């Protein structure tokens, strides 16, 4: 089983980092399935929006609900997240690697990308996940101690991805 994760502190740090990794992998000919997230700011809003790009070619889906500046609690639109999961599932059979931008609360509860991560691993497709500190214990339980922690270093992550895909690192 080839499962690895990055956990970079700071709001949006994993998202930015993994988007860069995905771009480099795609430029290098790795066939990706998965998602990367951008967090566009909107004028007059305290919180940013959350957009997922389904790899390799889209679409881009807004997974956050606009509930106004005073809203509290989760802003995730779980239905849109499930649409992203469906899009990724369609791309999985031709993929060299599954990249999941975030193992979050949905995955911690067995929803979201959890079953797709397990399916990719059962097919021998390596998986790279972003995990924040809050969800790290749940991810480690999900991975049953078999996940490799990678540093927030692009060269090291690219090296792991290339090796996991059976390629010699550049």
């Amino acid at each position: 089983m080839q499962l690895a994760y990055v956990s970079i502190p700071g709001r949006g740090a994993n998202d930015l980092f993994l988007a860069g990794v995905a771009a480099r992998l795609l430029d290098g000919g790795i066939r990706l399935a998965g998602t990367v997230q951008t967090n566009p700011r909107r004028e007059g809003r305290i919180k940013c929006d959350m957009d997922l790009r389904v790899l390799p070619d889209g679409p881009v889906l807004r997974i956050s609900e606009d509930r106004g500046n005073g809203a509290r609690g989760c802003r995730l639109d779980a239905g849109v997240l499930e649409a992203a999961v469906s899009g990724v599932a369609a791309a999985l059979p031709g993929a060299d690697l599954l990249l999941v931008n975030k193992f979050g609360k949905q995955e911690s509860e067995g929803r979201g990308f959890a079953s797709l991560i397990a399916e990719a691993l059962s097919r021998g497709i390596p998986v790279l996940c972003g995990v924040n500190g809050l969800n790290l214990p749940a991810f480690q339980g999900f991975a049953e101690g078999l996940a490799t922690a990678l540093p927030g270093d692009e060269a090291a992550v690219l090296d792991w991805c290339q090796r996991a895909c059976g390629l010699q690192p550049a």
Side-chain angles (χ1 to χ4, degrees):
M1 176 167 91
Q2 298 209 44
L3 174 62
Y5 68 96
V6 295
S7 186
I8 303 169
R11 184 174 216 84
N14 273 340
D15 298 325
L16 213 59
F17 180 79
L18 289 173
V21 166
R24 295 280 308 273
L25 291 171
L26 288 168
D27 287 347
I30 302 284
R31 296 172 301 172
L32 292 180
T35 53
V36 291
Q37 181 172 322
T38 56
N39 302 298
R41 291 232 164 264
R42 192 179 337 171
E43 190 172 328
R45 290 286 185 229
I46 294 170
K47 298 206 176 200
C48 60
D49 291 319
M50 298 179 296
D51 293 344
L52 278 188
R53 180 169 64 101
V54 176
L55 298 170
D57 300 317
V60 175
L61 304 169
R62 172 125 321 142
I63 62 167
S64 57
E65 295 183 79
D66 183 2
R67 297 176 43 222
N69 279 334
R72 299 221 184 264
C74 184
R75 299 179 307 124
L76 177 69
D77 186 328
V80 177
L81 178 64
E82 290 305 322
V85 171
S86 293
V88 173
L92 190 63
D96 297 319
L97 184 125
L98 173 64
L99 190 157
V100 177
N101 68 293
K102 181 179 181 184
F103 186 95
K105 183 177 181 192
Q106 294 289 308
E107 290 74 20
S108 296
E109 296 172 351
R111 296 188 300 268
F113 285 97
S115 62
L116 201 54
I117 293 168
E119 180 181 340
L121 293 170
S122 74
R123 290 182 181 202
I125 299 170
V127 179
L128 173 63
C129 292
V131 184
N132 65 26
L134 179 66
N135 295 304
L136 188 55
F139 175 78
Q140 290 170 328
F142 173 83
E144 298 179 340
L146 299 174
T148 300
L150 297 174
D153 174 77
E154 189 175 89
V157 173
L158 291 170
D159 180 76
W160 181 89
C161 291
Q162 291 165 336
R163 288 182 191 282
C165 292
L167 302 173
Q168 287 291 10

